[in-house]
Amino acid sequence: MLKIYSKSDIGLIRQTNQDACKSGTFPDGAAWAVVCDGMGGVNGGNIASNLAVDCISDQMQSSYTPGMSDNSIKNLITTAIYNANIIIHDKAKDDAELNGMGTTVVAAILSNGLAHIAHAGDSRAYLLSKDGIKQLTVDHSMVQEMVNKGDLTEQQAKIHPQKNIITRALGVEPSILIDYCEKEFLPDDLLLICTDGLTNYVDAEQIYRLSGTMNAESLTEKLVMLAKDCGGGDNITVVIIEN
């Protein structure tokens, strides 16, 4: 049985919440979630993230069928994201005020003991299991590229002044490159999907330590609260799916 808990919070500094998320279950008990973090001015960021979440969740819900093959699920998620990219890009092109708007995305379907995850940008997915916590997504960001090249350490990347510059986002270009992965999702595992409003303030080890002391619902609330206690300089969105 999969259970889902989610919370999105404006944080302590921002005037609006440009994060958006939706999640739910399919009739066969499989679960889905979409998390987006918008960018491009107050209006642009809001519009991009909400458009993406609505478009992707609508398509996943209308096209998912019980017993789908792993490859069909991959195609479903990636196609939904491609379509959302076109919709956001077209809207930005038609309205000068929205020019340059975009959004990160993490979209997941959990079915038959597998987590199927697609993403673009620096919102993240983590698997929490008895073996520890593992980051399943790799940030599409300038500092991550510098880390990959060996120019920065992970610690330096955390405090780098340009750590918010992302190299991929939905809606900015007419097409989008999407990363996709599949991971075994066993009983008692948790999948955490979140925006950088959490990960900029709370590190993975802290998240894992807390997961051992409370249930998934309490953990969702606690992580948002902790990000605010540690500064809360951005919108914070946390979705936890529990097996």
Side-chain angles (χ1 to χ4, degrees):
M1 176 74 178
L2 302 178
K3 289 186 179 166
I4 309 169
Y5 305 97
S6 68
K7 188 172 178 70
S8 189
D9 192 285
I10 195 168
L12 302 177
I13 309 290
R14 297 289 171 92
Q15 301 301 305
T16 57
N17 190 350
Q18 299 191 15
D19 287 0
C21 68
K22 276 188 178 178
S23 55
T25 53
F26 296 115
D28 66 350
W32 61 272
V34 188
V35 169
C36 292
D37 178 356
M39 54 177 225
V42 173
N43 292 339
N46 272 342
I47 290 168
S49 60
N50 280 290
L51 265 178
V53 163
D54 289 346
C55 177
I56 295 163
S57 60
D58 287 352
Q59 283 188 67
M60 292 202 305
Q61 289 178 90
S62 62
S63 302
Y64 178 87
T65 52
M68 274 182 120
S69 69
D70 295 337
N71 205 43
S72 296
I73 292 176
K74 176 184 179 177
N75 288 339
L76 167 56
I77 300 175
T78 51
T79 302
I81 295 175
Y82 289 135
N83 291 341
N85 184 73
I86 292 165
I87 288 168
I88 298 164
H89 186 258
D90 286 352
K91 192 169 182 72
K93 224 167 41 182
D94 294 343
D95 186 337
E97 281 186 22
L98 301 177
N99 195 9
M101 73 173 174
T103 181
T104 70
V105 63
V106 180
I109 290 178
L110 294 95
S111 171
N112 294 326
L114 268 189
H116 305 259
I117 297 156
H119 90 288
D122 64 353
S123 297
R124 293 178 180 176
Y126 291 89
L127 179 71
L128 287 76
S129 69
K130 60 177 181 9
D131 299 328
I133 183 168
K134 181 176 171 57
Q135 187 177 329
L136 303 180
T137 53
V138 177
D139 293 353
H140 301 134
S141 66
M142 215 167 77
V143 294
Q144 185 61 49
E145 287 182 0
M146 290 161 83
V147 170
N148 295 348
K149 284 183 191 152
D151 297 340
L152 276 185
T153 66
E154 294 279 359
Q155 289 311 112
Q156 288 168 327
K158 278 183 184 166
I159 53 168
H160 196 278
Q162 291 167 313
K163 71 171 189 282
N164 62 334
I165 297 176
I166 59 175
T167 52
R168 281 191 223 173
L170 286 199
V172 179
E173 301 287 341
S175 64
I176 179 83
L177 193 59
I178 300 164
D179 284 1
Y180 173 84
C181 69
E182 287 173 10
K183 195 75 186 160
E184 205 173 27
F185 193 57
L186 300 172
D188 300 326
D189 286 355
L190 301 177
L191 182 74
L192 164 68
I193 304 174
C194 59
T195 57
D196 65 346
L198 175 69
T199 50
N200 283 340
Y201 296 97
V202 185
D203 67 36
E205 290 314 311
Q206 260 178 305
I207 294 169
Y208 191 65
R209 249 194 339 268
L210 284 169
S211 73
T213 66
M214 57 185 71
N215 62 31
E217 187 174 15
S218 307
L219 181 62
T220 306
E221 297 284 336
K222 177 68 176 175
L223 291 177
V224 171
M225 209 162 67
L226 195 57
K228 288 165 81 170
D229 289 345
C230 296
D234 201 351
N235 310 142
I236 309 144
T237 297
V238 174
V239 175
I240 294 178
I241 302 174
E242 176 183 38
N243 194 348

